[in-house]
């Protein structure tokens, strides 16, 4: 089946996009080789900020991967039929997202040739060990389920019972990947910004806002590029989920502010002060956090009133704002904010370097490449099998194609 | 198992007098179990739980600098200038930086800026050991937190976890930054984490940690589980502080202020 995505009906612009991504991957890989030969001194990380953008991105993309469950769960558990057409989009979104998350771990490891020590000397009291267990499991589940569902659709049959069973298994795994990732931080005794029982809940809420928002944007893109229509009800339901989850996330961010500033405990305030207002003369993230606040207000205004959510333009902008704000809050600033106050009460600053940036771009390109291939596969299969999904499609052309497909066999 | 009856104090010459708390238990080899002529190394200094008391009032600038110099050159710790990438096992911090929770805004500068020796606390409840995904950092049978450099994957989870900033990552190849390599102690490669090891390699030879030996009596080393040890007596008789005791890590480096 995969050959359909790789070669068949590939336009010139598709190939140009693939080649563009391959170039970015090559650049990122070169930067990674540079980091490996020179050491992590070429990154912005330091003795104080020992985790930086890589681990931030890991956290964010685990969230994106977990967010796909907001289609899978309603469809398989609550029989929300409107999601039937796009469950595979949710599953296939999780695949590049988990791969990106895993790659962000790999590029962050100082001695990657010893990486498999994590399995060789399995250590159940380490949260990082559990992360390295649940992430590959979730990846495998989504690969098998997504591919099987699509293959069944391609053959014009219903997927097998065990596929549904695995899909159900993948639901608790989706939650577990983000909870374990939150436990990586929320169990550290001296990092006030991390040390909050709110963290796993906040991570899940933001994932359930970000995932559906991204799926809506992907559906819009697929409609524009390939004429694929996810269905109005599906988009509406997704936008409602995203809007509620986003509001819950911002509520929890607000709760952190209340606890820190009402209690007035310096350690609790430090990271928020550093990120949002600047502390001890260090204010490098303040402009970014102002963008976060502004876009969050825009997102709330566009996502909460129903008439805005029903309008594709305002919905698109709202979803983009949700994605960007959560990327800023969780991906770019959470880790660095949490580590910014050193064990000696000073503020350590962090400045991303060019090699670090190129490696991040490279990992993004790998994710986009996998996503492009997978979503093209979805479109190619659906074009033949789910006629209603392509309202603008030329029916005569479709009939000719199906005829040709029949004579192939 | 352990023959606790043969308890004696080691004397290691003048400087080692401070080690009077170091209870030494010699183990007799169980020949039947092991077979052959195997004999357990009786020279090894042994304690259930090594700890340290640092009396800064007795610590001169010269002997402190000698400690840092001796520790770093013996353990092949690279001398990297850039603060971002530096590696250190033993260094100085002010009272205010070290005892974050025991200071206040009006504390006299005399105390605030007083400098204190800073090393790994060899916690009884070490967070670094808890978070390490490969057990590359571990607590040995004598309460010393050690690193297995060959196993460390360089994930730096321990650095994020350590409440004491005790750990350094080799951001670059450390070897060019070592003035003279000590062949009796291994150098490290880039991409692994390292820290003070309470001179475990010296304890194995029956020697006290270097900083203890060179502190001119300012540092006392011994078994904090043994009420008769020098450290236990000092802790019983003096007002001592631990760093960030409220975190539940039970650090074993005590400070007489």
């Amino acid at each position: 089946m995969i050959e359909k995505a790789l070669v068949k009906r590939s336009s010139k612009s598709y190939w140009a996009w693939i080649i563009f991504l391959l170039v970015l991957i090559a650049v990122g890989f070169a930067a990674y080789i540079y980091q490996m030969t020179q050491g992590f001194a070429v990154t912005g990380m330091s003795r104080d900020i020992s985790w930086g953008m890589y681990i931030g991105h890991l956290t964010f993309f685990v969230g994106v991967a977990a967010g796909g469950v907001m289609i899978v769960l309603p469809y398989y558990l609550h029989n929300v039929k409107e999601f039937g057409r796009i469950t595979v989009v949710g599953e296939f979104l999780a695949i590049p997202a988990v791969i990106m998350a895993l790659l962000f771990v790999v590029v962050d490891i100082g001695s990657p040739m010893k990486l498999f020590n994590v399995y060789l000397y399995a250590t159940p009291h380490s949260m990082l060990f559990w992360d390295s267990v649940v992430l590959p499991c979730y990846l495998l589940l989504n690969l098998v389920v997504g591919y099987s569902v699509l293959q069944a659709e391609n053959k014009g049959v219903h997927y097998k019972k065990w596929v549904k069973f695995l899909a159900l298994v993948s639901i608790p795994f989706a939650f577990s990947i983000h909870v374990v990732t939150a436990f990586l931080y929320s169990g550290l005794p001296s990092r006030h910004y991390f040390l909050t029982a709110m963290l796993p809940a906040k991570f899940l809420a933001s994932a359930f806002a970000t995932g559906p928002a991204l799926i809506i944007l992907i559906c819009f893109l697929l409609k524009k590029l390939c004429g694929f229509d996810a269905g109005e009800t599906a988009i509406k339901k997704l936008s409602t989920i995203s809007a509620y989850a986003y509001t819950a996330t911002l509520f929890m961010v607000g709760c952190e502010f209340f606890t820190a500033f009402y209690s007035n405990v310096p350690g609790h305030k430090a990271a928020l002060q550093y990120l949002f207002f600047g502390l001890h003369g260090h204010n490098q993230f303040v402009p970014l956090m102002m963008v976060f606040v502004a876009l969050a207000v825009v997102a709330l205004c566009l996502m909460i009133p129903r008439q805005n959510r029903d309008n594709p333009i305002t919905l698109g902008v709202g979803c983009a704002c949700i994605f960007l704000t959560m990327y800023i809050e969780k991906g770019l600033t959470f880790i660095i904010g949490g580590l910014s106050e050193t064990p000696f009460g000073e503020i350590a600053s962090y400045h991303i370097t060019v090699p670090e940036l190129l490696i991040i771009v490279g990992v993004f390109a790998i994710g986009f490449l996998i996503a492009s291939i997978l979503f093209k596969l979805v479109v190619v299969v659906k074009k033949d099998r789910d006629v209603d999904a392509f309202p603008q499609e030329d029916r005569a052309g479709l009939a000719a194609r199906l005829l040709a497909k029949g004579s192939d066999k | 198992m352990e023959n606790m009856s043969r308890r004696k104090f080691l004397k290691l010459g003048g400087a080692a007098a401070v080690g009077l708390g170091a209870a030494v238990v010699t183990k007799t080899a169980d020949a039947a179990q092991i077979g052959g002529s195997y004999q357990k190394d009786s020279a090894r200094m042994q304690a259930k739980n090594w700890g340290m008391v640092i009396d800064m009032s007795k610590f001169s600038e010269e002997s402190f600098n000698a400690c840092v110099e001796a520790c770093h050159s013996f353990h092949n710790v690279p001398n990297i200038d850039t603060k971002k990438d530096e590696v250190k096992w033993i260094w100085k911090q002010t009272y205010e930086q070290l005892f974050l929770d025991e200071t206040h805004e009006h504390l006299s500068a005399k105390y605030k800026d007083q400098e204190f020796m800073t090393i790994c606390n060899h916690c009884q409840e070490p967070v670094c050991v808890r978070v390490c995904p490969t057990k590359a950092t571990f607590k040995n049978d004598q309460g010393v937190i050690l690193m297995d450099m060959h196993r460390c994957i360089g994930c730096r989870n321990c650095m994020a976890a350590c409440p004491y900033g005790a750990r350094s990552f080799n951001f670059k190849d450390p070897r060019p930054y070592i003035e003279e390599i000590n062949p009796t102690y291994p150098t490290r490669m880039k991409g692994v984490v390292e820290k003070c090891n309470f001179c475990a390699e010296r304890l194995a030879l029956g020697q006290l940690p270097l900083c203890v030996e060179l502190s001119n009596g300012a540092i006392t080393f011994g078994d904090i589980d043994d009420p008769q040890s020098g450290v236990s007596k000092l802790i019983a008789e003096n007002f001592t502080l631990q760093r960030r005791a409220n975190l539940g890590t039970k650090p074993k480096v005590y400070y007489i202020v």
Side-chain angles (χ1 to χ4, degrees):
Chain A
M1 186 168 73
I2 196 90
E3 83 285 351
K4 276 193 175 177
L6 290 176
V7 284
K8 282 197 178 171
R9 283 180 253 153
S10 298
S11 63
K12 268 190 182 156
S13 54
Y14 174 76
W15 283 119
W17 169 243
I18 296 295
I19 288 166
F20 171 68
L21 290 176
L22 287 173
V23 170
L24 290 185
I25 292 169
V27 171
F29 190 71
Y32 180 65
I33 298 294
Y34 179 69
Q35 175 183 288
M36 277 298 98
T37 50
Q38 302 298 307
F40 276 59
V42 303
T43 71
M45 283 179 274
S46 61
R47 200 177 182 283
D48 295 315
I49 311 282
S50 51
W51 277 343
M53 287 294 175
Y54 298 149
I55 295 295
H57 279 80
L58 150 81
T59 312
F60 180 73
F61 281 101
V62 168
V64 172
V69 82
M70 282 294 110
I71 291 184
V72 175
L73 189 150
Y75 179 71
Y76 289 102
L77 221 50
H78 301 291
N79 203 22
V80 177
K81 290 208 163 57
E82 293 87 345
F83 283 161
R85 190 179 283 166
I86 52 169
T87 43
V88 73
V89 175
E91 283 147 1
F92 276 7
L93 172 65
I95 292 166
V98 178
I99 289 174
M100 287 172 80
L102 286 169
L103 284 173
F104 277 118
V105 178
V106 172
V107 299
D108 188 66
I109 297 291
S111 304
M113 53 291 203
K114 291 187 270 181
L115 186 64
F116 287 91
N117 278 357
V118 174
Y119 301 110
L120 211 53
Y121 305 106
T123 308
H125 53 69
S126 164
M127 288 304 118
L128 201 55
F129 162 73
W130 285 110
D131 229 9
S132 65
V133 170
V134 291
L135 280 175
C137 285
Y138 187 61
L139 174 61
L140 203 64
L141 282 168
N142 278 286
L143 264 175
V144 172
V145 173
Y147 199 82
S148 306
V149 167
L150 201 61
Q151 199 163 35
E153 190 172 353
N154 189 39
K155 287 180 183 160
V157 294
H158 198 266
Y159 51 80
K160 298 256 168 35
K161 262 192 174 160
W162 61 265
V163 176
K164 184 179 178 181
F165 173 74
L166 287 185
L168 291 174
V169 171
S170 80
I171 293 169
F173 263 95
F175 284 79
S176 77
I177 57 170
H178 220 19
V179 169
V180 171
T181 307
F183 284 173
L184 266 185
Y185 318 117
S186 68
L188 304 181
S190 64
R191 309 290 182 178
H192 291 289
Y193 195 43
F194 294 164
L195 186 70
T196 161
M198 187 82 98
L199 200 60
K202 190 175 115 185
F203 273 13
L204 283 176
S206 77
F208 298 155
T210 317
L214 185 58
I215 291 168
I216 290 171
L217 291 174
I218 289 170
C219 287
F220 283 170
L221 196 69
L222 290 180
K223 191 168 193 177
K224 202 165 161 43
L225 293 178
C226 329
F228 171 74
D229 184 13
E232 205 182 328
T233 346
I235 297 289
K236 271 188 181 168
K237 280 191 191 297
L238 273 179
S239 66
T240 313
I241 293 171
S242 185
Y244 275 95
Y246 189 66
T247 315
T249 312
L250 291 185
F251 167 72
M252 288 190 241
V253 172
C255 287
E256 296 288 2
F257 266 91
F258 174 80
T259 301
F261 288 93
Y262 192 82
S263 74
N264 204 29
V265 175
H268 285 288
K269 290 190 292 181
L272 290 172
Q273 282 174 316
Y274 166 64
L275 290 176
F276 285 86
F277 313 111
L279 185 61
H280 304 327
H282 297 274
N283 53 10
Q284 56 175 141
F285 283 108
V286 175
L288 195 59
M289 294 327 277
M290 292 305 110
V291 172
F292 164 78
V293 172
L295 291 185
V297 172
V298 173
L300 286 179
C301 293
L302 293 182
M303 293 300 283
I304 291 180
R306 194 177 173 162
Q307 66 271 24
N308 288 347
R309 262 198 337 263
D310 288 347
N311 177 335
I313 296 170
T314 43
L315 175 62
V317 176
C319 287
C321 288
I322 287 180
F323 188 84
L324 277 175
T325 49
M326 291 295 96
Y327 179 60
I328 292 172
E329 202 267 341
K330 197 152 99 185
L332 300 181
T333 60
F334 177 73
I335 299 297
I336 294 162
L339 298 177
S340 59
E341 194 187 31
T342 74
F344 305 104
E346 296 157 323
I347 295 294
S349 55
Y350 176 96
H351 298 280
I352 193 166
T353 63
V354 173
E356 208 173 359
L357 196 64
L358 292 179
I359 290 172
I360 291 171
V361 168
V363 175
F364 266 93
I366 292 174
F368 275 92
L369 181 71
I370 296 167
S372 303
I373 294 171
L374 291 177
F375 289 134
K376 178 154 185 291
L377 186 65
V378 171
V379 170
V380 170
V381 169
K382 298 235 177 226
K383 255 194 181 164
D384 288 350
R385 290 295 169 187
D386 191 354
V387 181
D388 296 339
F390 296 87
Q392 268 102 51
E393 180 75 357
D394 160 28
R395 296 292 162 107
L398 175 71
R401 237 184 11 250
L402 284 175
L403 217 62
K405 192 182 158 87
S407 62
D408 278 352
K409 281 175 185 167
Chain B
M1 297 293 280
E2 277 187 36
N3 183 355
M4 296 295 285
S5 64
R6 292 186 57 200
R7 212 174 254 272
K8 60 176 183 177
F9 295 106
L10 262 199
K11 282 183 180 170
L12 289 164
V18 286
L20 82 167
V24 176
V25 184
T26 48
K27 279 186 179 173
T28 48
D30 188 345
Q33 202 178 8
I34 296 159
S37 58
Y38 175 86
Q39 195 77 80
K40 197 124 191 172
D41 183 8
S42 59
R44 188 183 183 202
M45 296 246 277
Q46 297 202 51
K48 277 194 208 153
N49 208 356
W50 287 115
M52 185 180 267
V53 178
I54 303 171
D55 185 348
M56 287 313 290
S57 64
K58 290 186 185 164
F59 224 152
S60 72
E61 185 81 24
E62 296 74 49
S63 39
F64 180 80
N65 290 338
C67 286
V68 176
E69 168 61 25
C71 170
H72 284 178
S73 59
F74 182 86
H75 294 111
N76 292 322
V77 176
N79 183 17
I80 295 170
D81 288 338
T82 41
K83 188 175 184 292
K84 186 170 101 60
D85 307 324
E86 74 181 336
V87 179
K88 51 191 179 185
W89 286 27
I90 170 169
W91 70 100
K92 256 187 222 174
Q93 294 283 345
T94 62
Y95 176 89
E96 196 183 26
Q97 293 168 324
L98 217 55
F99 301 100
L100 291 179
D101 307 321
E102 326 287 341
T103 184
H104 58 83
E105 55 179 312
H106 298 299
L107 186 69
S108 159
K110 187 169 83 180
Y111 302 112
K112 246 186 201 176
D113 299 335
Q114 196 189 332
E115 287 180 317
F116 283 81
M117 176 178 134
T118 313
I119 56 166
C120 169
N121 280 284
H122 296 273
C123 305
Q124 294 190 70
E125 299 287 344
V127 196
C128 53
V129 172
R130 204 180 306 150
V131 302
C132 177
T134 62
K135 304 186 197 83
T137 190
F138 60 98
K139 184 157 78 168
N140 79 358
D141 58 346
Q142 308 196 21
V144 179
I145 312 299
L146 294 175
M147 282 291 305
D148 182 344
M149 299 296 175
H150 297 286
R151 194 182 281 193
C152 175
I153 61 170
C155 69
R156 308 185 301 292
N157 202 339
C158 55
M159 295 177 76
C162 177
Y164 304 105
R167 292 173 164 268
S168 306
F169 182 67
N170 283 283
F171 281 93
K172 42 178 132 179
D173 181 11
R175 282 154 199 153
Y177 299 90
I178 304 170
E179 263 171 48
E180 196 182 345
I181 288 177
N182 168 15
T184 66
Y185 195 83
T187 57
R188 275 74 66 194
M189 61 185 291
K190 66 174 183 294
V192 293
V193 173
E194 62 180 75
K195 63 166 199 77
C196 156
N197 64 352
F198 258 5
C199 283
E201 76 287 347
R202 284 174 58 88
L203 294 175
L205 299 173
Q207 296 165 328
L208 283 168
L210 275 165
C211 56
V212 178
E213 240 183 54
L214 295 169
S215 67
N216 277 324
I219 308 177
T220 309
F221 192 69
D223 192 341
I224 59 160
D225 281 359
D226 179 355
Q228 296 307 312
S229 69
V231 281
S232 295
K233 283 179 180 164
L234 276 176
I235 293 166
E237 287 158 14
N238 292 277
F239 176 72
T240 49
L241 277 180
Q242 285 173 311
R243 287 178 63 194
R244 313 185 81 171
N246 60 344
L247 297 179
T249 51
K250 299 187 184 170
K252 285 188 302 184
V253 173
Y254 296 80
Y255 294 89
I256 297 175
V257 187

